[in-house]
Amino acid sequence: KAGVTQTPRYLIKTRGQQVTLSCSPISGHRSVSWYQQTPGQGLQFLFEYFSETQRNKGNFPGRFSGRQFSNSRSEMNVSTLELGDSALYLCASARSTPRQETQYFGPGTRLLVL
Amino acid sequence: KNEVEQSPQNLTAQEGEFITINCSYSVGISALHWLQQHPGGGIVSLFMLSSGKKKHGRLIATINIQEKHSSLHITASHPRDSAVYICAVGGGADGLTFGKGTHLIIQP
């Protein structure tokens, strides 16, 4: 069974631009969660999608948004990029409830904002 | 909001030593996760616990729900165990809340 895939793996953008990251979950998994990891703040929860609906959202500004498609693939978008958005963005999939089930993480997208 | 504290932050040990990493949280949870992250970023889920104890190979995880505390033990540690170990808790609407991680180095 293929693992969680994320594209692109690396990305360089400049301030003010926007970016879209993609995540394909493990086949059969309906929950996709997104996380941001920085050296200063560690791992932080961004949002969780289940069956095309956003189920939970972390404490991030509205510039961070996401969506999930009917095939469970998910995208997250960051608009008006700031230097502080430079981070590793990870997605993880689970069958249904990431808080109570094993999550499977993708390799991450490393975003650098200049 | 749950507060998750891990200790120690950094740990260097010799190959073969018994390793213990601790995690405490402030609010009752439905489950606790132990994650392993190697250089390069990839994260692997090691355990998901809601009570008691789990064992997988040389790794053992325990949780005390009343004390709001969990431990991850590594027996007969090996240099390939060198990684960052992260505790995460879930139970509310905030998704998972993560500890800052424990940087473990096992020297040969």
Side-chain angles (χ1 to χ4, degrees):
Chain A
K1 199 183 249 190
V4 178
T5 59
Q6 291 186 246
T7 57
R9 294 292 310 277
Y10 303 93
L11 205 49
I12 300 175
K13 292 285 188 179
T14 56
R15 278 184 302 170
Q17 287 187 309
Q18 75 164 25
V19 66
T20 299
L21 312 182
S22 180
C23 172
S24 293
I26 290 173
S27 177
H29 285 192
R30 296 166 66 189
S31 169
V32 173
S33 299
W34 287 90
Y35 303 95
Q36 181 196 65
Q37 186 176 36
T38 60
Q41 297 297 317
L43 272 163
Q44 293 182 280
F45 169 71
L46 277 160
F47 25 66
E48 179 209 337
Y49 287 88
F50 180 82
S51 293
E52 301 179 68
T53 301
Q54 186 180 87
R55 205 151 55 169
N56 292 302
K57 190 177 193 303
N59 189 25
F60 278 82
R63 299 185 297 108
F64 291 82
S65 63
R67 58 178 175 168
Q68 186 180 33
F69 302 96
S70 59
N71 61 358
S72 293
R73 190 178 71 83
S74 178
E75 288 181 347
M76 68 162 279
N77 185 77
V78 187
S79 62
T80 319
L81 284 166
E82 301 177 359
L83 296 179
D85 297 333
S86 294
L88 179 66
Y89 290 89
L90 293 151
C91 81
S93 74
R95 289 188 189 280
S96 60
T97 312
R99 287 172 297 286
Q100 300 178 34
E101 297 177 14
T102 298
Q103 284 194 89
Y104 296 85
F105 286 79
T109 294
R110 198 167 291 277
L111 171 65
L112 177 62
V113 182
L114 301 175
Chain B
K1 183 176 164 58
N2 221 329
E3 301 292 330
V4 181
E5 297 288 335
Q6 277 186 245
S7 63
Q9 288 187 356
N10 298 284
L11 178 57
T12 300
Q14 296 298 312
E15 183 173 357
E17 287 189 36
F18 182 82
I19 303 299
T20 296
I21 299 170
N22 296 298
C23 175
S24 297
Y25 51 93
S26 58
V27 178
I29 59 171
S30 57
L32 181 143
H33 303 252
W34 281 103
L35 310 173
Q36 180 193 55
Q37 185 171 32
H38 280 283
I43 293 179
V44 173
S45 180
L46 298 174
F47 294 102
M48 193 274 295
L49 291 162
S50 54
S51 65
K53 176 180 174 178
K54 286 189 176 181
K55 184 175 189 291
H56 184 255
R58 296 180 294 105
L59 301 178
I60 302 166
T62 64
I63 188 168
N64 184 319
I65 297 294
Q66 287 73 31
E67 297 290 324
K68 296 186 179 64
H69 180 269
S70 175
S71 294
L72 176 68
H73 306 286
I74 305 175
T75 63
S77 59
H78 189 276
R80 65 175 173 265
D81 297 326
S82 298
V84 177
Y85 293 84
I86 302 167
C87 166
V89 300
D94 299 329
L96 289 180
T97 302
F98 298 86
K100 294 292 187 188
T102 294
H103 290 71
L104 174 65
I105 297 172
I106 304 297
Q107 295 178 335

